Amino acid sequence: MGGGGAHGGTTYKGYTIPHNKRWHTVAGKGLCAVMWFWVFYRAKQDGAVLLGLRHPWDGHDDHSHGHGHEHELAYG
């Protein structure tokens, strides 16, 4: 079965933990860094909403995107 015990590793209480290949370690650390950068970026963007300090719709009340109040009259 998938043993292949001649490759070496660290033995602890009868169980041999195999050594990682270098690219597995580097790729894992790189992807971990990307994950944490993404978490901190999203916390910067949406942290106040997540903590309940701000509503998601706050800051969208100016409607100064080049259109007037015609859309409010048509639907209101």
Side-chain angles (χ1 to χ4, degrees), residues 5-73:
H7 297 304
T10 304
T11 302
Y12 179 73
K13 292 187 178 181
Y15 177 73
T16 302
I17 302 169
H19 293 292
N20 293 336
K21 293 184 179 181
R22 175 99 174 121
W23 76 269
H24 282 136
T25 303
V26 171
K29 288 181 181 180
L31 290 173
C32 182
V34 168
M35 182 223 25
W36 281 112
F37 289 141
W38 179 253
V39 167
F40 289 137
Y41 172 77
R42 293 308 301 172
K44 179 184 173 206
Q45 298 295 317
D46 298 331
V49 174
L50 182 64
L51 295 174
L53 302 175
R54 185 175 63 89
H55 293 291
W57 53 85
D58 287 348
H60 295 286
D61 56 350
D62 59 347
H63 290 289
S64 61
H65 297 54
H67 55 79
H69 295 283
E70 298 86 22
H71 66 284
E72 294 175 3
L73 296 175

